[in-house]
Amino acid sequence: MKRIASFEVNHDLLTPGMYTSRIDGDITTYDVRMVLPNGGVYLEPAAAHTFEHLFATYVRNSDLADQIIYAGPMGCQTGFYFLVRDMDPADAIRLVRETMDFVASFEGEVPGTTRVECGNYKLHDLEGAKKIARSMQPVLRDWTPEMLVYKK
């Protein structure tokens, strides 16, 4: 079988940030790396689950909602995938920054966390999700489209 693109990235060189993983026609996959791969510290499942609910809710209600394909966690627990259609990279960065601000300051009931709405509704941690977002705010503050390229 062919190796997939993400296995071609040297994970020892990765640092937290936002990177272009692949472009398939008009769909771009971004990797939003939140912790160092293989660094011993990973996203806690309950916090990442809550972050996912807030991330997906925010981007799907943003001014770019029609261009959102998917926002969800990486199995390695180091970040999130963010797939968009026909979106300028600067807009994608702006939207992810705004999402971090939204999550970091979120108060109230997390959307989609009842038994009827969620397949693991007891596994949530709002304070942990806010901590994830706060850790990414300074990382992405000055991020530019030129920085979206993975280091080789």
Side-chain angles (χ1 to χ4, degrees):
M1 289 192 284
K2 292 189 317 184
R3 287 174 55 86
I4 62 172
S6 62
F7 296 162
E8 298 296 324
V9 173
N10 184 342
H11 285 66
D12 288 336
L13 299 178
L14 298 183
T15 58
M18 183 173 167
Y19 303 95
T20 303
S21 174
R22 58 184 295 146
I23 299 172
D24 300 287
D26 64 346
I27 297 176
T28 301
T29 301
Y30 292 105
D31 293 349
V32 182
R33 298 283 179 172
M34 300 169 155
V35 298
L36 289 174
N38 302 309
V41 175
Y42 303 97
L43 299 178
E44 293 292 329
H49 188 195
T50 302
F51 183 91
E52 174 193 14
H53 279 236
L54 293 170
F55 188 141
T57 298
Y58 186 82
V59 298
R60 290 181 178 139
N61 283 280
S62 72
D63 59 326
L64 300 169
D66 292 342
Q67 295 168 270
I68 306 303
I69 302 297
Y70 175 74
M74 295 177 173
C76 61
Q77 297 174 266
T78 64
F80 276 72
Y81 297 112
F82 183 47
L83 283 73
V84 299
R85 171 174 279 126
D86 197 29
M87 186 182 295
D88 182 270
D91 287 334
I93 294 168
R94 174 185 59 83
L95 183 55
V96 171
R97 273 193 203 119
E98 289 175 1
T99 301
M100 296 304 165
D101 294 344
F102 170 76
V103 175
S105 64
F106 186 83
E107 298 292 333
E109 186 175 325
V110 176
T113 57
T114 68
R115 180 181 178 93
V116 172
E117 300 166 313
C118 180
N120 198 356
Y121 75 103
K122 292 183 179 180
L123 184 73
H124 283 281
D125 175 6
L126 177 56
E127 289 309 311
K130 292 167 92 166
K131 183 179 174 184
I132 292 168
R134 284 193 301 268
S135 75
M136 288 302 292
Q137 287 174 313
V139 171
L140 296 175
R141 181 172 296 122
D142 298 317
W143 211 260
T144 65
E146 294 75 28
M147 299 167 78
L148 291 169
V149 178
Y150 271 127
K151 295 175 184 144
K152 303 254 180 192

